[in-house]
Structure formats: C-alpha cells, structure tokens
Amino acid sequence: MAWANKVLRVNLTDGTISDEPLNMEWAQQYLGQRGLASKYLFEEIDPQCDALGADNKLIMTTGPLTGTMASTGGRYSVVCKSPLTGAIACSNSGGYIGAEMKNAGWDMVIFEGKSSKPVYLYIHNDDAQLMDAAAIWGKSVWDADRILHQTHQDPLIRISCVGRSAEAGCLYAGVINDLHRAAGRSGVGTVMASKNLKAVVCRGTKGVGNIKDPMGFMQATEDGKRVLRENAVTGQGLPQYGTQVLMNVINEAGAMPTRNMRETQFEGAHSISGEAMHEPRKSDGQPNLTTNAACFACTIACGRISTVDKEHYTIKNKPEYWGNSGGLEYEAAWALGSDTGVDDLDALTYANFLCNEDGFDPISFGATVAAAMELYDLGAITQEHTGGVDFKFGSAEALTLAAELVAKGEGFGKDLGLGSKRLCEKYGRPELSMTVKGQEFPAYDPRGIQGMGLAYATANRGACHLRGYTVASEILGIPEKTDPLSTDGKPELVKAFQDATAAFDSSGLCIFTSFAWTLDDVAPQLDAACEGGWTTEKLLEIGERVWNLERDFNLAAGLTSKDDTLPKRLLEEGANAGPAKGKVNELGKMLPEYYTVRGWDQDGIPTAETRQRLGLA
Amino acid sequence: MLRALQLEPEKCTGCLQCEMACSFENEGVFNPAKSRIKVFGFHDQGRFAPYTCTQCDEAWCMHACPVEAIVVNQDTGAKEVLDAVCVGCKVCTIACPFGTVNYSHDTGKVIKCDLCGGDPWCAKACPTGAITYVDIDNTGLDRMRAWAQQSSAGSASFNVPTEKDVQTYSQAQ
C-alpha cells in the first residue's frame, strides 16, 4: 500500500520514543506528507501556541510514493507552526533522507516537547534512540555531518541537521539534509533547534515493498518518466540550467524584483544566470557549474553542483571551501543577487554555500539583506549598526560578510536573522519589508505577473512561489498561456494551482514534475501503489481539503483576511521598467473573487457549505 | 552476441533508479540496501559513480567457492549464485577484488549481479545512459568515438581531400 503504516513519536521532554500505526482514515483524506502531517499538527497542537515553545510540534513526514521508483519519489517535508509567520509551516526537501526514513519503515516522525540538553535522533530501521549531541551542538551542518559519520562508522547513514544560525535563533533557519538540500523556508530549522534537537541520523534497509500492483506501478511510473523525458522543461531546460533557466526569462518579462523590489529588471541578470554558470571563468578557465545532480529517484536532475573560484576574495585563504557543493538555484541567485544588486557569481555561490553550511534560507536571507541595504540607503541604519560595513546595494563584500554573520548569529547578523519584517519594524520603516505574513518574497515581481500577487497574498505559509506557481501559465504557457499583465481569470487559476500543488506535495513527488505532469499523470502512479481508488478528481479534492485545513489552522492561530495582502510598494508604486512598466499589482480586483471561488465568505473564512463539502466540518 | 554492462560515471546524476530497479527485480522491493549495483557520490569532487560486478572471465569468486555455488550462465556470461547450494561461507566476498559480491544476513547467502538473465533492469532504469548493456567486445566504442570526435586528427583531414590535394591531383592529370 506504499505507506509504511507506522509513525515514530519522540517526546523530547521525557526522552521517550514510541511507535503507533498511521491513521489510515486520514491517509485516505489527506494522502501523506504535507496534507497528512498538517492534519496531525492541527489535531495535536494549539495553533496559538508559541512557535518556539515546547507546545509546538515538529513533524518530519514522507508521502506514499517516497522511496519508490516513481520519478522524484524521494521527497519529505518538515511541518510545524512557523516562528517567522505565526502560520502553518511546511517545507519540502529532496536529497536522500526522505527515502531513507521510508526505507527504515517510517511514514512520519513526530517530535514533541523540548529536550533539556542537545540531542539527536538515531534511527536504524525499527531501532530509534535519542543520543547526546554535545559533540555537534555549536557546529555547522557540514562539521556535524562529518562528526556523525565518524561517530557511527557508517558511510550509508543519511542526515538532517540544523546549523549554528538555527541555534542562534535566526527566524528563517531551515533543516539541511544530505549537506545541501533544504527544508528551507519559514524557520522550520529554528523550531527544531528550539527543541534542542540538532539532527536526525537515519539508516533504513527494509525498503518499500508493499506496492498494491507492482507491475502496474512499474508501467505507470515508466509512462510518467517518458513524459518528463520528452518535455522541453523537464527533459532539457532543468537538467542543463537547473531552475536558473528562469533568470533571463523572468528578467525579460520585467518581473525580476531588484534592489528590494524598487525595480523590476536587473542589469546584471546575465552575469548570475544559468547560462553564466556554464561559462569558463577568466581566472582558472573552469565554469562555476561542475555537474547537475539528482535527488533520490529523480529522472530530471535539476540540482547544481558548483565551485567557487579559488582565487575569489571570499575563499582565497579558506581551502575548506575549494571543493564542490550545492550551487545556485534560481531563487537563491535572485535573492542573493538581483534583490541585493550584487552581480558577482562567485560571491553568490559562496553565500549560498554558507546558507547550506549553517542552514538558513537564502530567499529570506537575501531579501532581508536587501531590506537592510535600502534602510542603509535611506539612512535608517548606519555603519554604527552594521559594524562599520558599507552596506550599500551592489556590495558583494557586504553580502558575503552578512552571510558569515548570520551563519554564526554574530554582530549585525543578529538583526539580519530577524527577517525583513522585524528588521524594518525595528528601524522604523515597516513599509520597506517585502513580505507577506512576515515571510519574504521569492523571485517573481507580482506587478509583472499579476496572478502571483494573489498567490503570494493568499499562500498559507506567507509569500511563496511553491504554493501556486501561476508563473507556469502566465510566463511559460503551462498548461496554457494566460496574460501576465491581466487579472482576468486569475482567481480561478490561482486556486487551481494551489489545490493541485497541495496534492503533489502530499504524494512524495516533487512539484517540479508539474512542468510536465498534471494530476492525470500522478493519479495512475498513486493508484497502482496505494489502496483507495486514486483518481485526478480525488486528488484535486484532497488538494482543496489540504488548502482549507491549512487556512483553518491559520485562522485559529489568529490570522485574518487582513493578512492576505501585499506590501504597499507593490500595490501603489508602478513597475519602473519592462513590459509591466507603470503597472501595480491589482490584488484588490482579484481577492474578493478568489474568496468566492474558494467558497469562503468575504472575510476569507470557509463557509459551512465548503467545510461540509470537504469533510472539514 | 554476449553483452556487458557499460558504466559511464560522467553521465551519472546519483538518482539511484538503478538501485531500486535492481532490488525490485531481485527482491521484489524498492530498497537500495538490497541492490547489487551501487552508486557512490563524491560530493567534494562533484562526481557520482555506479559500480557493480564486471563478470570476470577468470572469476575469483567462482574459483574460491568451496561448494561450487557460483556458476557461469552460458547464455549471458554472468557468474550466478545458486542459492540452494550457497552455504554463506563468504569466501567469495574475500576473493572478489572489487567488492561486488556481498553477504545478505536476511537470507544467509551471498548476492551479486547476475545481469538479470540477460535483461539488466539497472540499464533499463537509468535515465541518462550512464548504465548501458552493450556488445561485450565493444564496451569502449562510444568513448573512442567521443575522443575521436575531439581530436584534431578527426577534423576530416584523413579521408576528405583538401583544396591542396585537389590541386595536386588536377596538376598530375
């Protein structure tokens, strides 16, 4: 049936560990991963609890297809209440640990309470124990990974770990797995560290063997792989350029947020693009990009493996950074680059290494640095605050120093670790924070892509491109082209993307497959693997149910329709350049209709009929 | 025609589809821990490499086996383990210089690649062509072709007449 049917429950306060069967009734309603863990979280915690207190829980969760041969079937998510937004947090990651957890026989690990001293969880199949983390607390993810491999003398363990930024309370710290994959957003790593939980070490040798119809599954997954192979984006663009395939495309569309979203096109975009990563460097003749890499089971392989030039100022005397590691994805390249005005590819790659090494979200980090640069530009912060650093837009030195400080939670890095919203409030200019619900924007300016404004405003984890990626339709024409500058039909489009995405995120598969797949491609794979009659219709209903459950969590946490908004800059200041020049985001035109399409009242609350229809009553 | 697995590490992305295909075919479960082919990642170097049994002609595992549990499949050339005969002594795991025969404590037998009876699932599952099943006498063909294409000698000069050749020929006529 593809689910392992087993949940590991770890009480960190008492130091006790128990197992229990997965709630299979809920699995039929919420599928797995994002949906099912959100259901568990909503049932088990008070949404008004302190996100960094013992009452919050942290769930690491796989989907039914995690650990199988379905392409990209290796995903896991980390779910909890977010300290950055106060809303529900769900951060999805690839790499290998999700599959390892499933191979060890677990669908989910639920952490509750708070340990009195630093610990890590060691899982070897049925055996799970809490171990003393004294030797790795205070260490970076990379150092901890090395020490744990030495300690366990097992090269095949997989590790999820938080870095020093999380320990220091950076509000956008993530959970890093396999050295450079990240459950990156919303501060899920901050929550993990707040529980004195440093790492999860996992080794699974049981595998996934209970597929409902094995030969049917092999056929369905092979059909799916063929679709990915033959699609221009998943078959060519992503393997060759990674998500960085977007840099020049989005810049030309005039939707490239630049210098804290003051501008909508970046003159240095080419220098930090996927194409530039292939070009030989002047100093050593090597390109930034060494190779592409896949996560577990992925036949797309969009991951980037890169080096920084050994002669670059950032690492000249630091041989520990001379090797390969996870390179720039589009979001990181944008946030660290375009949003700060920095066009030095090696500086961005180094900053990205630090984000992985000490586990903080490059999107929120880059956007917070951008906000700080604007505050500096306007004189709201000075060199007195920055520790003598000239924090001007375009300064690679300021960016890389900021990354070093946030990594360790030192000096001005403490302010930057607050995130853009709290930083701008602290220095008296809250309107300069480019956030929704306290979470920083990703790399698409909603003045040039109207639907994304609505997607950001209504995303349940705050500003996010991975909750309803209408860019696919508005810019790339997937599944069909809509006008990025028009609001017509966008409420329906956003809802359709949000619901489908919630279903993908609950399956164990990667959302990047949706450049080529629709739920029509996913349903046969799930149906061959799992009992329950999995059709596209059932998946769409699950997606909508998950969306409404997350909404209910947020409403119960105290968020309201007032939080479904965008910063004034995007609603009132016209785009300065590109095809959208002069345009603002017309959220006001879309939001009321969106509520109606969702079956919510005009306060953004699901109506009784909607709840009834989705079985949420 | 006998065929062999050809491994081209430079094409490997580390997706482990081969490991899952192998474990599924041999054990009926998606389980990299039970795979006869392994992918190794060398993170610092930015490299992945698949590795498995090369089916040595003078197979040391086969010669070392005290109970003759490893036999040659005449159709494929694969050295196959006869589970009913294997006593789990592990001498073959010591004899193999490449580490590609391993003991499974679940069954008390050793496991190794048997080329899936001539239709290896790892090769079918590999999305990038890093694992292919090719003519055993020509496993180097693609690599030779790639080098030939890169070499300056390959720039048409040995079989296409240059302008000078044409002139010399015309004058001689």
Side-chain angles (χ1 to χ4, degrees):
Chain A
M1 60 184 164
W3 294 279
N5 197 12
K6 222 162 74 160
V7 175
L8 183 64
R9 191 176 288 275
V10 180
N11 186 311
L12 293 161
T13 307
D14 303 339
T16 55
I17 294 178
S18 57
D19 64 86
E20 63 196 48
L22 187 72
N23 187 320
M24 292 310 292
E25 195 186 320
W26 290 352
Q28 286 296 323
Q29 294 167 332
Y30 295 92
L31 187 51
Q33 206 175 350
R34 171 175 163 190
L36 191 51
S38 297
K39 173 68 175 169
Y40 269 85
L41 189 77
F42 194 27
E43 292 289 331
E44 295 194 12
I45 74 166
D46 173 2
Q48 300 207 350
C49 73
D50 173 7
L52 298 178
D55 292 341
N56 196 2
K57 294 190 184 184
L58 182 103
I59 305 178
M60 291 185 175
T61 171
T62 65
L65 296 186
T66 307
T68 72
M69 265 187 95
S71 183
T72 77
R75 310 296 299 189
Y76 93 118
S77 293
V78 181
V79 179
C80 60
K81 176 176 170 162
S82 162
L84 187 69
T85 64
I88 193 163
C90 172
S91 294
N92 184 307
S93 182
Y96 299 99
I97 192 150
E100 200 70 31
M101 210 176 266
K102 190 74 171 289
N103 283 334
W106 304 102
D107 292 303
M108 237 184 235
V109 184
I110 302 176
F111 295 98
E112 44 194 46
K114 176 179 175 168
S115 173
S116 58
K117 62 179 176 64
V119 291
Y120 69 94
L121 179 70
Y122 174 71
I123 302 172
H124 186 176
N125 294 337
D126 296 332
D127 176 32
Q129 354 173 354
L130 286 168
M131 322 269 287
D132 185 352
I136 50 173
W137 194 259
K139 301 278 195 247
S140 75
V141 171
W142 292 359
D143 283 341
D145 191 283
R146 185 175 41 75
I147 293 167
L148 288 167
H149 273 98
Q150 282 166 359
T151 306
H152 289 279
Q153 289 293 300
D154 181 352
L156 297 175
I157 52 173
R158 306 287 189 187
I159 298 168
S160 279
C161 190
V162 294
R164 289 172 293 183
S165 69
E167 293 177 23
C170 167
L171 288 173
Y172 46 84
V175 181
I176 304 292
N177 59 281
D178 303 290
L179 295 174
H180 65 109
R181 305 307 312 183
R185 299 224 72 192
S186 313
V188 296
T190 321
V191 172
M192 184 162 153
S194 78
K195 297 185 173 304
N196 274 326
L197 178 65
K198 178 70 176 175
V200 174
V201 175
C202 188
R203 176 87 173 103
T205 63
K206 296 162 83 166
V208 179
N210 52 353
I211 299 294
K212 184 185 85 177
D213 169 12
M215 292 322 287
F217 184 70
M218 294 305 276
Q219 187 58 52
T221 53
E222 182 49 38
D223 291 346
K225 288 172 200 169
R226 192 177 56 250
V227 173
L228 294 177
R229 193 160 59 234
E230 290 171 359
N231 179 278
V233 178
T234 51
Q236 295 157 33
L238 284 175
Q240 186 168 8
Y241 296 113
T243 51
Q244 275 270 64
V245 71
L246 289 162
M247 180 64 74
N248 289 318
V249 177
I250 300 299
N251 196 43
E252 274 160 35
M256 171 72 61
T258 301
R259 286 177 275 269
N260 203 34
M261 305 185 94
R262 273 178 171 175
E263 298 157 63
T264 51
Q265 284 184 320
F266 182 42
E267 69 285 354
H270 179 75
S271 313
I272 61 170
S273 68
E275 289 82 351
M277 289 169 72
H278 280 271
E279 291 165 7
R281 291 187 283 244
K282 282 197 190 98
S283 59
D284 62 358
Q286 295 296 311
N288 173 281
L289 183 76
T290 303
T291 186
N292 64 327
C295 295
F296 185 90
C298 175
T299 58
I300 303 172
C302 74
R304 305 288 92 184
I305 303 292
S306 286
T307 57
V308 177
D309 184 350
K310 291 187 185 67
E311 293 299 312
H312 192 259
Y313 79 88
T314 48
I315 65 161
K316 200 161 185 178
N317 299 310
K318 298 180 191 164
E320 65 271 31
Y321 295 104
W322 289 359
N324 284 274
S325 195
L328 291 167
E329 317 264 343
Y330 171 59
E331 293 297 332
W334 161 77
L336 302 169
S338 169
D339 206 27
T340 64
V342 176
D343 63 1
D344 176 341
L345 185 64
D346 278 314
L348 307 192
T349 305
Y350 170 71
N352 192 58
F353 278 9
L354 296 191
C355 288
N356 290 331
E357 184 185 18
D358 266 302
F360 52 104
D361 171 15
I363 301 180
S364 286
F365 166 71
T368 303
V369 169
M373 285 174 167
E374 185 163 6
L375 289 166
Y376 183 80
D377 193 50
L378 299 172
I381 61 173
T382 64
Q383 293 198 14
E384 208 175 301
H385 304 107
T386 66
V389 181
D390 187 11
F391 222 75
K392 60 175 190 275
F393 278 120
S395 168
E397 289 78 7
L399 171 76
T400 54
L401 179 72
E404 289 166 359
L405 293 175
V406 171
K408 296 175 204 151
E410 291 171 355
F412 189 50
K414 283 204 186 71
D415 272 359
L416 293 172
L418 294 170
S420 163
K421 176 169 178 271
R422 290 168 179 83
L423 179 84
C424 292
E425 280 168 357
K426 179 172 174 178
Y427 291 101
R429 300 295 297 270
E431 77 282 5
L432 297 183
S433 170
M434 297 299 119
T435 51
V436 173
K437 300 180 174 72
Q439 178 157 284
E440 292 75 10
F441 279 89
Y444 309 90
D445 196 300
R447 290 170 289 197
I449 311 177
Q450 291 289 321
M452 284 309 289
L454 180 61
Y456 289 147
T458 58
N460 287 325
R461 67 172 186 176
C464 175
H465 58 298
L466 294 172
R467 286 296 178 271
Y469 191 74
T470 61
V471 178
S473 164
E474 295 178 272
I475 300 292
L476 305 171
I478 302 167
E480 54 197 36
K481 187 81 172 80
T482 54
D483 179 359
L485 301 180
S486 164
T487 59
D488 290 350
K490 295 300 162 66
E492 292 83 358
L493 187 74
V494 167
K495 174 181 182 289
F497 269 85
Q498 288 173 336
D499 291 350
T501 302
F504 273 93
D505 288 348
S506 301
S507 66
L509 303 175
C510 176
I511 188 61
F512 288 1
T513 56
S514 68
F515 284 114
W517 288 353
T518 66
L519 290 175
D520 289 339
D521 298 286
V522 176
Q525 303 186 54
L526 270 171
D527 194 49
C530 307
E531 286 74 8
W534 295 88
T535 60
T536 301
E537 293 68 35
K538 180 166 171 170
L539 287 173
L540 272 174
E541 188 186 286
I542 281 182
E544 188 175 8
R545 184 177 296 125
V546 172
W547 192 267
N548 279 272
L549 177 92
E550 292 171 341
R551 180 75 178 182
D552 270 347
F553 181 101
N554 288 352
L555 293 169
L559 279 75
T560 69
S561 59
K562 288 195 182 67
D563 298 297
D564 297 339
T565 190
L566 298 172
K568 214 167 67 174
R569 172 166 286 168
L570 306 177
L571 298 172
E572 295 176 11
E573 293 174 25
N576 78 313
K581 190 168 179 179
K583 273 196 85 81
V584 296
N585 185 269
E586 299 182 273
L587 179 65
K589 268 175 139 177
M590 298 181 281
L591 192 61
E593 193 187 333
Y594 170 83
Y595 285 167
T596 305
V597 171
R598 274 258 166 244
W600 298 353
D601 67 20
Q602 285 307 305
D603 291 321
I605 298 169
T607 61
E609 292 85 341
T610 301
R611 283 179 208 281
Q612 187 96 40
R613 178 169 60 80
L614 296 170
L616 290 166
Chain B
M1 176 178 81
L2 275 184
R3 295 202 284 173
L5 284 173
Q6 174 169 260
L7 308 178
E8 295 174 83
E10 64 279 10
K11 293 183 181 170
C12 179
T13 62
C15 74
L16 311 192
Q17 283 280 341
C18 55
E19 296 192 7
M20 277 183 288
C22 177
S23 58
F24 181 76
E25 159 63 5
N26 288 291
E27 313 274 343
V29 58
F30 298 121
N31 188 0
K34 292 278 157 64
S35 174
R36 282 99 168 120
I37 187 165
K38 291 276 179 208
V39 174
F40 295 88
F42 302 93
H43 182 72
D44 196 49
Q45 302 165 27
R47 282 202 309 125
F48 299 95
Y51 204 79
T52 191
C53 174
T54 58
Q55 314 295 346
C56 310
D57 270 8
E58 288 292 323
W60 295 19
C61 59
M62 187 167 69
H63 293 314
C65 179
V67 294
E68 297 187 1
I70 299 179
V71 296
V72 183
N73 178 323
Q74 296 299 338
D75 294 334
T76 63
K79 313 302 172 290
E80 297 179 354
V81 179
L82 301 175
D83 273 2
V85 182
C86 175
V87 295
C89 73
K90 312 176 201 66
V91 170
C92 56
T93 69
I94 301 167
C96 174
F98 306 108
T100 55
V101 192
N102 284 284
Y103 177 70
S104 166
H105 79 269
D106 287 349
T107 58
K109 315 283 178 188
V110 294
I111 57 176
K112 69 177 287 299
C113 172
D114 61 1
L115 297 175
C116 299
D119 185 21
W121 282 48
C122 54
K124 286 191 287 185
C126 179
T128 63
I131 307 166
T132 47
Y133 193 48
V134 302
D135 178 355
I136 202 162
D137 291 338
N138 276 303
T139 52
L141 199 63
D142 285 344
R143 210 166 292 180
M144 281 166 75
R145 184 184 293 115
W147 281 105
Q149 194 168 21
Q150 273 183 34
S151 68
S152 55
S155 62
S157 61
F158 39 70
N159 50 9
V160 177
T162 63
E163 205 171 318
K164 200 177 162 203
D165 293 335
V166 174
Q167 279 170 8
T168 313
Y169 177 77
S170 308
Q171 282 159 11
Q173 294 297 305

